[in-house]
Structure formats: C-alpha cells, structure tokens
Amino acid sequence: MTWPEDLDRVLVTEQQLAAKVGELAEQVRAEYAGKNPALIGILTGSFVFMADLIRRLDFDLTVDFIAVSSYEDATISSGKVRMTKDCSHDIAGRHVLIIEDIIDTGFTLEHICRILKHRKPASLKLCCLLDKPSRRRAQISPDYVGFEIPDEFVVGYGLDFAEKYRHLPYVGVLKKEAYQA
Ligand code: PRP
C-alpha cells in the first residue's frame, strides 16, 4: 500500500494490533465464554476491530451494531451524540460488551451506555481498542483497553478523517496541516 501523503507516522503497527487483539480476546474469553454475550459494535469506526476480535473468540456470542454520529466531518466532538441506527436485537438479560475503536471525550459511550442500561442487560461493559484519557470529558472508563494513546489525530484500522483512511491496516497519525487546513 502506498504511503498516504497526509500521514505523519505509524503509531500502532499491524503486528502490534494483531498481538493486542489476541490479548484482548483472551481477556474477553475469560469473562464471557459460556455466557453467550451480545457484542455490540459502534459504527462506523469499530468494524475492523470487531471483525478481528470476534474471529478469535471460540464460544457462542451474537453480533450487533449501533451507529452514532457526533463528529460528522469535524475533528473535535460536538458533544451532541445522535443515534442513527439502533441495535437489532433485544438485550434484556444479556451480557453486553460494547466494542469501540476509540474513546476520546467519552460523550459517545456515555450516551450509548445511558440508553442501553435502560434496557436491563445482565451486564454492560466496554472494550475499546484506543483510549485518549487526556481528552476525557464524560465519566466513562473502558473495562478492556488496547492502547492508551497521546492526543493526536489517528486514522486507520477503521478510524477515519472525513471518511478517508479507514482501510489502512495500521493506526497512523495524521499531519496537523491535513486537518487544520
Ligand atoms: C468516533 C469513534 C467513537 C467516537 C469517540 O466516532 O469511532 O465512536 O468518535 O469520540 P468521543 O469519545 O469523543 O465521543 P465518529 O463520531 O467519528 O464516527 P465514525 O465511527 O463513524 O467515524
């Protein structure tokens, strides 16, 4: 794959991602094997992580998705989270594990957790590949975390900038001039 000119550097390589997804799968397996959990991915960014994670889980589970939008084409969260697609299955009494690509301000997960808790799941936990704790504004902390990362604009492995770069197989840092232009 050619190097996108908007990228400054690779932050997490393909190999590091694969190893971390394997570690997370072991942790998820230890807690959820035999419980038929409902894994719910937050679209769009989580789809690559979700796909890699579930293929390492060798027990019964179900897969669902919620779509939200808060950033639209901006680089900073508006704080106004809008659900554009609800999950398709009832979660009452289910062990729910939310799969997210990145937590930044935490507004997205705060909003989703508030909605899902009303539906009386047996449990509700968060699995997040990337965490930017320095940016947190909502009281949300993931139960499973892949990498804590610095406050830089990252793309790839599902994450986008204005819908570009989701298909990169690594997590890269965008050049400031690319999004400040
Ligand atoms: C991104 C990301 C998270 C959210 C995290 O989604 O996928 O869902 O922002 O930010 P927060 O913690 O500040 O709420 P985005 O709204 O960009 O949509 P996308 O997944 O479709 O790219």
Side-chain angles (χ1 to χ4, degrees):
M1 180 177 280
T2 55
W3 182 256
E5 64 178 30
D6 287 343
L7 271 203
D8 181 46
R9 67 186 193 280
V10 172
L11 186 67
V12 190
T13 66
E14 280 187 74
Q15 292 75 16
Q16 289 169 323
L17 286 164
K20 188 61 76 175
V21 172
E23 285 173 27
L24 289 170
E26 279 306 310
Q27 295 172 35
V28 170
R29 161 172 240 297
E31 180 156 358
Y32 291 100
K35 294 184 178 172
N36 188 27
L39 271 59
I40 300 180
I42 311 304
L43 294 172
T44 302
S46 70
F47 78 105
V48 178
F49 175 41
M50 176 77 135
D52 282 351
L53 182 69
I54 60 171
R55 284 179 292 169
R56 291 176 180 253
L57 300 176
D58 58 350
F59 52 86
D60 283 346
L61 56 84
T62 61
V63 171
D64 210 333
F65 290 97
I66 286 174
V68 293
S69 181
S70 62
Y71 282 45
E72 301 193 329
D73 281 350
T75 56
I76 297 173
S77 173
S78 63
K80 291 180 198 146
V81 181
R82 188 165 56 92
M83 186 182 281
T84 55
K85 179 207 168 301
D86 202 342
C87 53
S88 306
H89 303 100
D90 187 9
I91 59 162
R94 301 285 308 278
H95 291 282
V96 173
L97 182 61
I98 295 177
I99 309 296
E100 182 60 293
D101 53 335
I102 187 166
I103 308 183
D104 190 302
T105 63
F107 288 138
T108 301
L109 283 177
E110 182 183 52
H111 182 78
I112 289 168
C113 287
R114 195 183 306 126
I115 292 172
L116 296 189
K117 274 180 191 160
H118 281 297
R119 300 178 185 174
K120 307 269 187 273
S123 66
L124 180 63
K125 291 196 174 184
L126 310 173
C127 176
C128 187
L129 181 68
L130 306 173
D131 188 8
K132 275 189 195 173
S134 63
R135 299 255 314 155
R136 197 74 87 255
R137 293 178 60 195
Q139 291 220 328
I140 282 287
S141 52
D143 300 279
Y144 305 95
V145 184
F147 303 92
E148 284 195 1
I149 61 169
D151 183 15
E152 296 189 276
F153 199 103
V154 288
V155 295
Y157 201 70
L159 289 93
D160 75 312
F161 169 56
E163 296 303 327
K164 286 172 72 177
Y165 306 127
R166 293 194 196 276
H167 60 117
L168 299 179
Y170 47 81
V171 175
V173 174
L174 207 61
K175 287 179 186 165
K176 280 208 174 93
E177 53 265 37
Y179 59 89
Q180 286 177 342

